[in-house]
Amino acid sequence: MSKPDTNEKKSPLREQLTHKTANVWSKATAAERKQIMEFGKEYSAFLDAAKTEREAVKEIVEVASRTGFSDLTGEGTGGRYFHNYKGKVASLFVNGSAPISAGLHIIVAHIDAPRLDLKQNPLYEDSGLAMLKTHYYGGIKKYQWVSRPLAMHGVVVLPDGKSIEICLGEDPADPVFTIADLLPHLWGKTQATKKAPEIITGEQLNLVTGSLPWDEDEDDTDSIKMHVLQLLHEKYGIAESDFISAEIEIVPACKARDVGLDRGLIGAYGHDDRVCSWSALQAALQVENPVKTTCVLLMDKEEIGSETDTGSASRYIETALRLYLAKEGLNDNPLDVLAVSNCLSADVNAAINPNWKSVHDKQNACLLGHGPVLTKFTGSRGKGGSNDAHAEFLGWLRGMLQAAGIRYQTAELGKVDEGGGGTVALFFARYGMNVVDLGVGLIGMHSPFEVAAKSDIWMAWRAYKAFLEA
Ligand code: MN
Ligand code: MN
């Protein structure tokens, strides 16, 4: 329950003039608290079902089709559409009441997350074990990936076009994989004196994959590797050369879990940025009578710089918008529409972690549980490489969020010159649209077990829905 204000003597002028954020939970009604918990449960189920961008797109398309959205490339009409782009990007459009020439309300989030990818020739045998080589994807602290159960998700495409899906390590009956660390008894000269980034090197991120020799072969130089190949062939019909045309992602073999006795937090792999993706998706599915036509983009490749055809630096938004315009029989120029649009870049920010407070400027940092985080600019070394939202757009946005009863906070990503990071905001600003970052705060970001507050996720969804409907 929230504290009664009876003992506090506050001047109304103080209230009016000072800026303070509040814990979303303490201001929530009993019905809202129930909603917050329920929303967290549904989101956790999504996280467990969608550990890769491909799996996320499948889930998104499935729920969109089920809730009255038609495929932009199909026959259906009705003003609510989804688009599946190469199985790695999804977008959703909902017709607004204003003409399209007034611009779109766009939310963009990303569905890729840091992980380990299998190399194209990954399998070898060493010291009585079959091993798989990986190449990490995105900004990871490599030492966090050792000595934990790992799962394998992905796709193998054969030369005849047949596509084989792999998901191993999620079912409790499945085996898992692991990267074995060095024992502390022997780490003195080899590991203990190294700097953190070199404790485990990229070439040491090799997965233990098998240990039993194949029976049908006398050759003992690679009979364990041969056994793994035989098992893969038996289960999936693939051979060693098929890894060449495979995308296999290694992720933590762990389900999303409630964290803390009060169950206010969710710990999981891949909050960044499925937390904003899922909240934006729910907003897109539930949007009612929007003024502007709405567009929610769930993009790939953010964690490696947003390049490639499925990243935000591509021209995918033009492709999707052209399909939408054709579907609705509109002749507007997509670039003219984008130039007058408004966009929320929905990505995570770093909330204050009690163990590492010194990296933040406290009054320009976010707290778990105080609502989604408005980030005017990101970048590093003097805002380098960042979008920087206009005061005019922020003024409008504040008015809109206030009118919708949304609690939010504002933050930078760490102290000035402490480090930095970026989002996809700048790629959309190139079109002339207004863009600002609004997303959920995390602690333990980019680790195999990131932590987010249920109340922030719920409030982010409400903020996104209010923006789409504005
Ligand atoms: Mn992100
Ligand atoms: Mn990230």
Side-chain angles (χ1 to χ4, degrees), residues 36 39-40 43 265-266 271 275-276 278-279 371-372 440 452-462 464:
I36 289 169
F39 204 69
Y43 168 56
L265 307 170
I266 298 173
H271 278 314
V275 66
C276 300
W278 192 78
S279 306
V440 172
K454 290 180 185 176
S455 55
D456 290 337
I457 303 166
W458 175 77
M459 195 57 96
W461 157 70
R462 287 186 48 194
Y464 296 152

Side-chain angles (χ1 to χ4, degrees), residues 23-166:
N23 190 293
V24 170
W25 182 263
S26 65
K27 302 284 181 187
T29 64
E32 286 173 337
R33 288 178 174 191
K34 224 176 135 187
Q35 256 188 46
I36 289 169
M37 289 299 177
E38 201 47 49
F39 204 69
K41 206 183 273 178
E42 289 165 23
Y43 168 56
S44 292
F46 171 76
L47 282 176
D48 293 342
K51 283 201 168 175
T52 68
E53 61 285 354
R54 287 179 189 269
E55 291 170 357
V57 167
K58 267 198 191 143
E59 290 290 314
I60 293 159
V61 164
E62 196 274 319
V63 67
S65 324
R66 189 156 39 80
T67 51
F69 282 69
S70 319
D71 190 339
L72 263 187
T73 61
E75 296 298 312
T77 52
R80 289 151 68 86
Y81 306 101
F82 70 85
H83 185 226
N84 172 351
Y85 186 58
K86 302 193 179 188
K88 293 181 177 180
V89 168
S91 56
L92 296 103
F93 288 81
V94 176
N95 283 5
S97 53
I100 191 90
S101 56
L104 305 169
H105 273 194
I106 300 166
I107 303 177
V108 54
H110 67 93
I111 48 178
D112 63 318
R115 60 182 190 247
L116 310 177
D117 287 339
L118 285 197
K119 289 191 183 188
Q120 271 19 80
N121 189 15
L123 187 61
Y124 68 103
E125 178 173 331
D126 191 354
S127 314
L129 294 171
M131 307 289 287
L132 282 167
K133 288 171 172 278
T134 69
H135 195 139
Y136 65 96
Y137 171 99
I140 63 164
K141 288 159 96 174
K142 300 180 194 84
Y143 67 80
Q144 293 177 335
W145 288 74
V146 298
S147 301
R148 60 167 56 241
L150 297 167
M152 186 181 282
H153 293 238
V155 64
V156 183
V157 182
L158 302 181
D160 66 4
K162 191 179 169 210
S163 178
I164 298 150
E165 276 174 41
I166 292 180

Side-chain angles (χ1 to χ4, degrees), residues 171-292:
D171 189 309
D174 282 349
V176 295
F177 306 87
T178 195
I179 298 163
D181 200 359
L182 181 59
L183 64 170
H185 315 65
L186 299 179
W187 78 331
K189 285 181 190 158
T190 312
Q191 194 182 40
T193 54
K194 288 202 170 145
K195 288 188 172 159
E198 290 128 38
I199 288 172
I200 300 287
T201 65
E203 287 293 347
Q204 285 173 323
L205 293 171
N206 301 315
L207 297 171
V208 174
T209 303
S211 61
L212 302 178
W214 194 40
D215 284 331
E216 296 171 38
D217 200 329
E218 293 294 300
D219 185 353
D220 61 2
T221 59
D222 68 350
S223 63
I224 296 168
K225 170 184 166 179
M226 184 56 215
H227 195 187
V228 166
L229 283 173
Q230 183 253 317
L231 290 169
L232 285 172
H233 187 254
E234 192 178 282
K235 193 168 168 70
Y236 301 110
I238 58 174
E240 190 171 18
S241 60
D242 294 323
F243 283 115
I244 294 171
S245 48
E247 289 181 340
I248 298 178
E249 305 179 11
I250 307 303
V251 298
C254 167
K255 299 220 181 297
R257 301 290 297 267
D258 285 352
V259 172
L261 286 172
D262 53 21
R263 297 181 175 266
L265 307 170
I266 298 173
Y269 163 71
H271 278 314
D272 177 9
D273 182 33
R274 288 174 206 139
V275 66
C276 300
S277 297
W278 192 78
S279 306
L281 168 68
Q282 295 310 312
L285 297 175
Q286 295 166 32
V287 68
E288 286 168 67
N289 310 316
V291 179
K292 305 286 178 69

Side-chain angles (χ1 to χ4, degrees), residues 110 272-273 302-303 347-348 446:
H110 67 93
D272 177 9
D273 182 33
E302 194 278 340
E303 296 295 355
D347 206 345
V348 298
H446 277 216

